Amino acid sequence: MKYRSTRGAMAPLSFSDILLEGLAPDGGLALPEHLPTVTAATLESWRSLDYADLATEILSLFIDDIPKADLSRLTHAAYSADVFPGPGMVPLKPLKKGLSLLGLSEGPTLAFKDMAMQFLGQVFEYVLEKRNTTLNILGATSGDTGSAAEYALRGKRGVAVFMLSPHGRMSEFQRAQMYSLADANIHNIAIKGVFDECQDIVKELAGDLEFKSQYHLGAVNSINWARIAAQVVYYFWGWLRATSAPGQQVSFAVPSGNFGNILAGHIARQMGLPIRRLVLATNENNVLEEFFRTGIYRPRSADRTHATSSPSMDISRASNFERFVFDLLDQDPAKLRACWEQLEHSGEFDLSHLLPQFESRYGFVSGVSGHSDRVATIKSIYEETGLLIDPHTADGVKVAATFLEDGIPMLVLETALPAKFSETIQEAIGEPAPVPEHLRELAALPQRVQIMECDAKAVEEYIRQHAPV
Ligand SMILES: *Cc1c(COP(=O)(O)O)cnc(C)c1O
């Protein structure tokens, strides 16, 4: 299988090639030249597989330059009971008639990003060793991505992580989670600034091509195709758990920000998984909901992005959206480039002539959930079921409820556990969320973090001194 770019000007590359790159050289995003399809008979044959074996089957459809036996070793290391200790690894948790949670947040950082990142950590180490090279991951985080990346890459050979975070602006839990890691290849750098300034430093350093190639700078952001491919697996897993016969349809509701999670659902559906609807839920930052309602994509600047109580969805420029638009435009790179040129010109593009296809052809519907929805949903689900859900998942549940249909199971992707966002839980039910046993000692562990001025040069100097070249 070869990969191409949405912008149409990349020579075909293998999976391992695109794994180590961020954006394609033409500024686009990598996609398989042809999506694999899965027949109903194959799907049925997967019912008895455990999560790691299912991941091997599905990922081998996207990865043909790693022998299947090796891939199986990687998936078993990523999806082991040590890493995901929850019952059944990815449990289905019924909420009420027709509505369940797909438990994606049982990993080390209590958010769904562990699902893809743990595989990424394994496959990075494998490919770097094969190619006898090293990689220095440079990233910026306001919480979830950085910690998931650090837990996936800690102690891995050939990789170091330099993760910038805004000094004094992360929750106590997030700080404890990241800064208590003692592995020599993990470098936490707290920048005296806000998240966007951290992001700017990353862009500046990654834009210095000489520095970038000398120090093998890489990224683990959500545009990485390996992350999308790994996320495709749990849509199949969820379908297999929620159905008992071929052809039964299931809908998924997805709390969305960068459009990475729900894009994997779109890919699974295009591969033939019987998905009826993909319900996209946003918070107050509703750029994507606006697109699915009007056909107009109008990203917002950082200063017009609200800080909400579902902070991991506070995104107004969805980095993976281009891959979906590529399909909408019948995979025509020229049309896609025209849209992005339009975007640069006027700050928006208009695909309202395709509006009827969003649902009929691709199954997409959408809705918004605000702070009071979130709080009310957490409270009512808790009172009705005894289950506590996090604010992001609550956005998904709120929007999913408006699209329930008789006879069609609706699975809401549980994107985080409530312990991560205790303030909102306190507001909803009058007490904080319980912290899982193994994380209670976190707060007491010594923390290791380098505090720096908001200065790209200082970060560059630090990398020069600490990177294994
Ligand atoms: C990252 C994240 C999201 C958004 O996922 P996307 O793939 O960016 O759409 C939602 N909820 C939580 C808890 C997250 O960490």
Side-chain angles (χ1 to χ4, degrees):
M1 165 169 296
K2 292 290 184 202
Y3 287 81
R4 58 175 166 173
S5 161
T6 50
R7 307 269 174 113
M10 178 175 91
L13 291 175
S14 70
F15 173 83
S16 297
D17 292 326
I18 61 156
L19 175 69
L20 304 179
E21 295 295 328
L23 279 181
D26 62 0
L29 304 182
L31 274 173
E33 284 184 327
H34 305 283
L35 266 195
T37 53
V38 174
T39 64
T42 304
L43 255 180
E44 289 310 305
S45 74
W46 287 347
R47 281 201 185 275
S48 59
L49 299 185
D50 67 14
Y51 195 88
D53 287 332
L54 181 66
T56 307
E57 292 304 320
I58 293 171
L59 288 167
S60 69
L61 301 175
F62 292 108
I63 305 173
D64 62 1
D65 57 347
I66 297 177
K68 200 165 173 183
D70 289 359
L71 193 58
S72 172
R73 223 168 12 80
L74 302 181
T75 58
H76 279 87
Y79 304 113
S80 74
D82 291 342
V83 184
F84 294 92
M89 200 153 300
V90 179
L92 207 60
K93 311 177 190 176
L95 286 183
K96 47 182 152 182
K97 192 168 172 291
L99 186 69
S100 305
L101 293 182
L102 186 60
L104 303 175
S105 301
E106 311 287 330
T109 74
L110 315 188
F112 85 97
K113 292 191 173 69
D114 288 329
M115 296 299 305
M117 213 67 96
Q118 285 293 327
F119 174 70
L120 199 68
Q122 298 295 336
V123 76
F124 263 159
E125 186 175 55
Y126 177 89
V127 170
L128 291 173
E129 192 173 328
K130 281 264 179 265
R131 299 191 166 189
N132 193 22
T133 183
T134 59
L135 192 64
N136 291 302
I137 297 296
L138 174 62
T141 188
S142 54
D144 289 346
T145 307
S147 55
E150 291 188 352
Y151 278 77
L153 295 171
R154 61 188 297 196
K156 292 277 181 294
R157 286 183 305 275
V159 196
V161 179
F162 297 87
M163 191 60 65
L164 313 188
S165 53
H167 182 50
R169 286 171 193 267
M170 290 202 303
S171 73
E172 200 178 319
F173 187 87
Q174 287 172 322
R175 281 201 308 272
Q177 226 177 13
M178 286 177 61
Y179 301 167
S180 65
L181 288 178
D183 307 77
N185 72 330
I186 302 295
H187 303 271
N188 283 300
I189 301 175
I191 297 290
K192 293 183 182 168
V194 296
F195 169 71
D196 286 315
E197 292 171 303
C198 298
Q199 190 76 54
D200 287 343
I201 293 177
V202 170
K203 280 189 193 146
E204 186 177 333
L205 295 186
D208 178 346
L209 296 185
E210 204 181 310
F211 180 64
K212 184 179 179 207
S213 74
Q214 188 184 356
Y215 283 90
H216 300 172
L217 292 192
V220 289
N221 43 26
S222 69
I223 58 169
N224 192 302
W225 174 258
R227 283 181 63 182
I228 305 294
Q231 289 172 182
V232 168
V233 176
Y234 53 67
Y235 285 88
F236 281 83
W237 176 264
W239 185 89
L240 289 165
R241 301 287 80 78
T243 60
S244 52
Q248 287 179 358
Q249 289 201 310
V250 171
S251 291
F252 289 90
V254 188
S256 292
N258 265 321
F259 204 80
N261 202 355
I262 201 164
L263 177 77
H266 166 68
I267 301 289
R269 193 174 185 275
Q270 298 296 100
M271 290 167 72
L273 188 69
I275 296 178
R276 175 158 164 77
R277 275 176 171 159
L278 289 164
V279 181
L280 180 139
T282 70
N283 64 18
E284 293 87 333
N285 298 298
N286 66 329
V287 170
L288 291 171
E289 181 272 335
E290 182 179 71
F291 175 78
F292 283 101
R293 181 165 38 83
T294 65
I296 296 172
Y297 181 57
R298 192 184 292 144
R300 298 172 198 156
S301 56
D303 57 308
R304 290 183 54 226
T305 302
H306 308 281
T308 75
S309 49
S310 46
S312 301
M313 292 156 64
D314 292 349
I315 289 162
S316 297
R317 183 176 290 274
S319 52
N320 265 297
F321 189 52
E322 180 169 334
R323 287 187 168 115
F324 177 67
V325 174
F326 186 65
D327 279 351
L328 272 180
L329 297 174
D330 298 318
Q331 310 193 340
D332 180 343
K335 285 189 196 161
L336 186 109
R337 284 197 305 271
C339 273
W340 258 258
E341 273 157 29
Q342 175 77 30
L343 192 59
E344 220 157 86
H345 243 216
S346 64
E348 60 182 71
F349 60 74
D350 183 347
L351 295 180
S352 54
H353 62 291
L354 300 175
L355 198 58
Q357 296 188 7
F358 296 176
E359 183 174 0
S360 67
R361 189 167 167 200
Y362 296 105
F364 269 87
V365 291
S366 70
V368 185
S369 162
H371 179 75
S372 55
D373 296 319
R374 215 166 283 141
V375 170
T377 304
I378 292 169
K379 184 168 193 283
S380 71
I381 293 289
Y382 185 62
E383 285 169 357
E384 287 165 34
T385 68
L387 265 181
L388 208 46
I389 59 175
D390 104 291
H392 306 78
T393 308
D395 288 331
V397 170
K398 156 72 173 58
V399 176
T402 58
F403 291 104
L404 285 178
E405 295 169 286
D406 266 351
I408 311 235
M410 171 75 78
L411 307 191
V412 180
L413 303 197
E414 182 178 45
T415 56
L417 290 192
K420 273 192 115 155
F421 302 96
S422 217
E423 216 171 82
T424 306
I425 304 303
Q426 174 91 40
E427 182 180 344
I429 64 164
E431 51 190 284
V435 177
E437 180 116 42
H438 66 287
L439 294 175
R440 262 174 237 160
E441 307 98 63
L442 259 192
L445 292 178
Q447 297 191 1
R448 204 167 54 102
V449 58
Q450 197 71 30
I451 300 167
M452 275 187 207
E453 296 301 324
C454 188
D455 173 12
K457 277 276 164 256
V459 177
E460 179 181 330
E461 197 44 47
Y462 184 87
I463 294 173
R464 284 184 189 279
Q465 281 169 16
H466 293 87
V469 190

